[in-house]
């Protein structure tokens, strides 16, 4: 049943809200180990695509296949354990928790302690807290956010919150990482840091990355392949150089300006 | 949050607990019964804190689940002849199951609508105790509750550990008849419930609950099943309430459908807000302060009567809710994060001395 080819296969996905079609017959593959960028003008359906993959939206038609599971039929909370992590365009951190606890919270799926063990804080529960704390401290060091590890994230500046959210996604140790505009709203320096982190994650951890980004220069620099959406339709797919010169893509972007 | 770090903190804790355990030896009966009431309220509010403070699910059913615990424990002791110390945990668990049922709407509804759903517990459960199984539950009149006892065998014609020979039972017996004795039960339960609540807050379970409170959609996408954890929170909250209800019934020696009622559910919520939602110490601070205010209201009533002799009864009755309401408003305006937050700031300032004022 699973159409082979790649880690993730999006097949004929259509999603609409009432009258508006957010996605129409979108199909593409994500190859294992690549960085795939999804680009397109505002309202093109990029976030909707990620939401379908992570089970937040349910497309009316089509299927999304990941490791022989159809994600469109998988309960939302069972998608992360399959090996999919994500960040959000508008940042969806646990605002009342510290940086450390936000990232610890993402270790949930890797912990085995039952709720009763949590209550007694005995044996496995205590051991796990220590083990997973070490993993989390590693992520904190990697992202250079040690200075804010005890800060409540709700009060952090935007750029740092984005970084904490990346850390939380990393803590899932997923095979596929979905990043929704990780660099938007940042200054040049922060953007460069973020791009470096994404490349390092990709290289050191062998994570496959799907990235939504508006900054064309960045997209061309870091992605292996690009998928272009416009009004919910895939209008192009290919190598960054091909996309740059694709007349339809130029048209879509010029049409917007 | 309030992990003890230094040795002196353990010493303070130990001395404090010892002082509480020995309270009946050096305090008046009214002081002991006051502390006892605070302790029982702490357990109920700690449960509510798990549900509302950590999980963000507002509930006005806590008193109803106390009623379940109180009746369950009483029936286990009177009908089945169980010892109170076995009846207490089983009664708490039965309240937990009932809490679970009233938590089911949380699958569908949030916020205001969930409050309404939990409020229904506050009407349904007392109604059941009044109108069903009248031969066992004795309707509105309620049940008389036996004194908890510890029974020990007679050894060499002697009784040990402060027990006394009871000819009727043919054994050595210790009776938790008044607050002077009962306070030791309350203290042990509060110590256990505080440890459990604290463990929840620092482990996988607690983080899952807070994740749901702070962003249920993100939590779900990060692999946490919101519905399962909301139900766990409802269950735990009701278990705490059940334990509190069982203690209250056996302390008061009587329970009926209004022994704990909607007003108490609201008071618990107030205690939690005043103490600090979602903090380990909040329930302890909140329950202490609010019950202290009630005491003050009682002390003040003769004065109110002297000022308003024409409407003495009305003014006295209004004093408690008036003071409670005022305290709540003052906290919501000046210290919305509760006493626990103030305590944290004070502690931080103390650690930073002499650089802080
Ligand atoms: N929950 C929703 N309810 C109704 N309409 C929605 C919803 N989510 C998305 N849409 C609509 O679907 C279309 C695609 O939106 P989407 O957020 O996926 O675009 P996007 O490509 O991520 O845009 P941007 O670059 O601005 O983030 C838009 O017309 C949007 O209004
Ligand atoms: Mg978007």
């Amino acid at each position: 049943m699973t159409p082979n080819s790649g880690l993730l296969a999006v097949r004929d996905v259509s999603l609409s809200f009432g009258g508006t079609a957010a996605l129409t017959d979108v199909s593409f593959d994500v190859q294992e180990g690549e960085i795939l960028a999804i680009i397109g003008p505002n309202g093109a359906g990029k976030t909707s695509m990620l939401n379908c993959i992570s089970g937040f939206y349910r497309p009316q038609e089509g299927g999304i296949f990941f490791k022989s599971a159809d994600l469109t039929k998988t309960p939302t909370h069972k998608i992360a354990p399959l090996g999919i992590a994500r960040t959000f365009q508008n940042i969806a951190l646990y605002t009342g928790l510290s940086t450390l606890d936000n990232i610890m919270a993402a270790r949930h799926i890797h912990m085995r302690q039952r709720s009763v063990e949590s209550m007694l804080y005995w044996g496995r529960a205590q051991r796990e807290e220590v083990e997973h704390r070490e993993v989390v401290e590693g992520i904190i060091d990697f992202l250079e956010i040690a200075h804010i590890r005890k800060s409540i994230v709700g009060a952090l500046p935007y750029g740092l919150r984005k970084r904490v959210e990346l850390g939380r996604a990393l803590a899932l140790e997923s095979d596929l990482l979905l990043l929704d505009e990780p660099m938007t709203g940042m200054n040049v320096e922060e953007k460069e840091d973020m791009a470096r982190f994404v490349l390092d994650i990709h290289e050191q951890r062998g994570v496959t990355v799907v990235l939504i980004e508006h900054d064309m220069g960045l997209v061309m620099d870091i992605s292996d392949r690009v998928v272009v959406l416009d009004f919910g339709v895939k209008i192009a797919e290919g190598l960054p150089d091909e996309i740059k010169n694709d007349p339809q893509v130029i048209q879509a972007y010029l049409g917007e300006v | 949050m309030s992990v003890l770090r230094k040795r002196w903190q353990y010493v303070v804790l130990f001395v404090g607990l010892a002082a509480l355990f020995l309270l009946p030896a050096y305090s008046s009966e009214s002081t002991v019964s006051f502390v006892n009431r605070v302790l029982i309220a702490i357990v109920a509010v700690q449960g509510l804190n798990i549900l509302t403070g950590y999980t963000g699910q507002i509930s006005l059913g806590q008193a109803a689940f106390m009623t379940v615990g109180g009746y369950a424990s009483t029936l286990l002791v009177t009908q089945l002849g169980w010892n109170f110390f076995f009846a207490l945990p089983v009664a708490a668990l039965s309240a937990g199951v009932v809490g679970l049922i009233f938590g089911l709407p949380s699958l569908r509804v949030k916020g205001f609508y969930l409050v309404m759903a939990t409020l229904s517990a506050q009407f349904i459960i007392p109604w059941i105790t009044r109108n069903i199984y009248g031969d066992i539950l004795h309707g509105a009149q309620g049940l008389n509750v036996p004194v908890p006892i510890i029974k020990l065998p007679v050894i060499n014609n002697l009784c040990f550990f402060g027990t006394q020979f009871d000819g009727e039972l043919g054994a050595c017996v210790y009776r938790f008849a008044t607050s002077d004795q009962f306070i030791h039960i309350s203290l042990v339960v509060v110590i256990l419930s505080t440890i459990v609540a604290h463990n929840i807050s620092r482990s996988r379970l607690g983080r899952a609950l807070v994740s749901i409170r702070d962003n249920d959609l993100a939590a779900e996408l990060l692999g946490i099943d919101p519905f399962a954890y909301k139900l766990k929170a409802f269950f735990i909250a009701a278990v705490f309430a059940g334990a509190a209800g069982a203690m209250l019934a056996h302390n008061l020696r009587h329970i009926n459908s209004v022994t704990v009622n909607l007003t108490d559910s609201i008071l618990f919520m107030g205690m939690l807000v005043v103490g600090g939602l979602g903090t380990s110490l909040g329930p302890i601070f909140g329950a202490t302060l609010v019950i202290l205010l009630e005491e003050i209201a009682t002390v003040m009533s003769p004065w109110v009567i002297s000022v308003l002799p024409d409407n003495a009864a009305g003014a006295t009755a209004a004093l408690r809710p008036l003071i409670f309401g005022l305290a709540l408003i003052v906290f919501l305006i000046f210290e919305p994060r509760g006493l626990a937050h103030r305590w944290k700031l004070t502690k931080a300032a103390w650690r930073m001395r002499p650089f802080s004022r």
Side-chain angles (χ1 to χ4, degrees):
Chain A
M1 169 77 208
T2 317
N4 74 321
S5 67
L7 181 65
L8 182 84
V10 177
R11 287 292 171 270
D12 304 317
V13 165
S14 295
L15 170 78
S16 60
F17 297 99
T20 39
L23 295 168
T24 311
D25 277 335
V26 177
S27 299
F28 62 89
D29 292 327
V30 181
Q31 306 297 336
E32 190 145 9
E34 73 175 342
I35 297 183
L36 176 82
I38 300 179
I39 64 168
N42 287 110
K46 306 179 296 293
T47 299
S48 300
M49 190 66 241
L50 286 206
N51 284 344
C52 288
I53 298 172
S54 49
F56 181 35
Y57 288 171
R58 298 296 180 180
Q60 281 84 8
E61 274 165 57
I64 301 173
F65 303 92
F66 180 79
K67 295 185 181 170
S68 80
D70 184 350
L71 299 179
T72 63
K73 298 192 173 62
T74 310
T76 310
H77 69 271
K78 293 200 170 137
I79 289 180
L82 292 175
I84 297 180
R86 72 170 289 181
T87 63
F88 300 82
Q89 186 169 350
N90 300 319
I91 309 185
L93 285 167
Y94 307 130
T95 43
L97 291 178
S98 65
T99 298
L100 190 68
D101 283 334
N102 262 277
I103 304 177
M104 271 301 266
R107 297 300 297 173
H108 184 84
I109 59 168
H110 294 295
M111 290 188 165
R112 290 289 152 263
Q113 61 182 276
R114 311 201 133 267
S115 294
V116 174
E117 293 172 276
S118 287
M119 288 184 220
L120 301 177
Y121 205 72
W122 203 262
R124 177 159 67 170
Q126 208 169 6
R127 243 184 357 259
E128 276 190 340
E129 291 299 318
V130 176
E131 282 168 21
H132 291 264
R133 178 74 177 262
E134 269 166 32
V135 177
V136 168
E137 294 291 353
I139 292 170
I140 287 178
D141 288 342
F142 168 69
L143 292 176
E144 297 159 19
I145 46 177
H147 58 295
I148 52 159
R149 46 202 284 290
K150 295 265 169 163
S151 311
I152 300 299
V153 297
L156 291 174
Y158 181 83
L160 281 176
R161 273 187 285 149
K162 280 253 167 194
R163 211 185 278 191
V164 174
E165 208 194 21
L166 178 64
R168 190 179 65 176
L170 272 187
L172 290 176
E173 293 185 344
S174 61
D175 304 312
L176 179 62
L177 184 57
L178 311 171
L179 303 175
D180 196 348
E181 307 202 11
M183 295 142 204
T184 304
M186 294 184 162
N187 62 36
V188 177
E189 198 185 327
E190 286 174 327
K191 272 190 187 179
E192 278 171 1
D193 281 344
M194 204 59 160
R196 180 164 54 82
F197 289 133
V198 172
L199 287 173
D200 284 352
I201 290 163
H202 173 248
E203 252 160 52
Q204 294 170 10
R205 299 171 184 245
V207 179
T208 308
V209 178
V210 173
L211 169 91
I212 296 176
E213 187 47 60
H214 277 294
D215 186 324
M216 278 309 141
L218 259 167
V219 168
M220 298 303 154
D221 278 350
I222 69 173
S223 56
D224 299 313
R225 281 189 323 121
V226 182
V227 164
V228 189
L229 294 180
D230 189 24
F231 290 112
V233 179
K234 185 178 89 172
I235 58 166
E237 177 176 358
L239 302 175
D241 280 334
E242 296 166 6
I243 295 299
K244 226 182 326 193
N245 303 315
D246 187 305
Q248 246 189 308
V249 176
I250 295 168
Q251 169 69 35
Y253 273 87
L254 286 180
E256 201 203 19
V257 174
Chain B
M1 241 158 269
S2 63
V3 192
L4 303 170
R5 294 163 215 264
K6 306 235 170 62
R7 187 185 303 163
W8 69 263
Q9 287 173 315
Y10 280 98
V11 173
V12 169
L13 180 68
F14 181 80
V15 171
L17 284 177
L20 282 173
F21 269 98
L22 297 174
L23 195 69
Y26 60 85
S27 295
S28 69
E29 207 182 318
S30 64
T31 309
V32 178
S33 109
F34 164 76
V35 174
N36 197 39
R37 268 194 295 143
V38 171
L39 291 171
I40 292 173
I42 286 174
V43 178
V45 179
Q46 279 173 333
L48 188 63
N49 192 28
I50 306 276
L51 183 60
T52 304
Y54 290 122
T55 321
Q57 310 297 303
I58 302 173
S59 161
L60 283 180
Q62 202 68 344
F65 305 133
M66 279 180 79
T67 304
V68 174
Y71 270 93
S73 161
T74 305
L75 292 176
L76 287 171
V77 173
T78 55
Q79 303 286 320
L80 302 181
W82 286 28
N83 184 290
F84 168 76
F85 294 94
F86 294 109
L88 173 71
V90 174
L93 290 174
S94 353
V97 173
V98 176
L100 201 65
I101 295 167
F102 283 94
L104 287 172
S106 68
L107 169 65
R108 290 290 161 122
V109 297
K110 291 184 191 178
F112 178 73
Y113 297 95
L114 186 59
V115 174
M116 289 296 121
T118 59
L119 197 55
S120 71
Q122 209 63 251
F123 292 101
I124 293 171
I125 289 167
W127 184 87
I128 289 175
T129 66
R130 279 194 305 271
N131 296 300
I132 293 181
Y133 293 117
D135 48 334
I136 300 174
L137 300 180
H138 296 291
Q141 198 191 334
L143 300 174
N144 287 325
V145 186
V147 174
I149 56 171
I150 290 176
K151 241 186 338 187
L152 291 176
V154 188
I155 299 166
N156 296 335
N157 281 328
L158 288 174
C159 282
F160 293 96
F161 304 115
T163 56
Q164 258 156 20
F165 186 72
D166 182 308
E168 215 173 300
L169 295 168
C172 300
V173 170
Y174 184 84
R175 292 173 186 281
F176 296 86
T178 68
S179 289
D180 274 0
Q181 294 89 41
F182 203 92
I183 192 171
H184 297 125
I185 298 178
S186 310
L187 273 169
V188 170
V189 174
V190 164
I191 290 170
L192 293 177
S193 67
T194 304
I195 292 172
V196 168
H198 181 62
N199 286 345
I200 290 174
S201 77
R202 61 174 169 171
S203 59
R204 181 180 192 242
L205 173 59
R207 280 189 302 268
L209 299 180
V210 176
S211 303
I212 290 162
R213 177 194 71 190
D214 281 358
N215 199 322
D216 55 345
L217 293 174
E220 199 170 3
L221 298 188
L222 269 80
I224 295 165
D225 181 355
F227 186 47
Y229 279 92
K230 281 182 195 172
L231 285 187
K232 284 181 190 187
F234 269 98
F235 178 77
I236 296 167
V239 167
F240 278 54
M247 286 194 288
L248 190 72
H250 287 264
N251 185 216
L252 296 176
R253 312 262 299 272
H254 185 83
I255 184 159
N256 61 30
S257 62
V258 294
T259 306
V260 260
N261 51 49
L262 180 58
T263 311
D264 295 286
S265 276
I266 294 167
L267 277 171
F268 294 146
M269 193 56 90
M271 291 175 189
L272 190 53
V273 170
V274 167
L277 277 156
T279 61
S280 303
L281 291 175
I284 299 175
F285 286 149
T288 309
L289 182 73
V290 170
I291 296 180
L292 196 65
L293 289 177
E294 283 189 347
E295 286 300 298
I296 291 171
T298 312
V299 172
M300 270 171 65
S301 35
W303 175 79
V304 174
I305 293 170
S306 72
V307 177
L308 294 166
D310 297 339
N311 192 4
T316 316
L319 206 53
R320 275 187 178 199
L322 189 70
I323 290 184
F324 172 68
L326 273 176
L328 206 54
I329 290 171
V330 167
F331 267 89
L332 286 175
I333 294 173
F334 296 106
E335 196 64 82
R337 293 166 73 184
L339 285 169
H341 180 64
R342 176 65 33 201
W343 169 251
K344 224 170 110 185
L345 295 181
T346 314
K347 251 187 3 185
W350 172 252
R351 244 183 258 129
M352 297 285 280
R353 74 193 186 283
F355 299 108
S356 62
R357 291 185 298 130

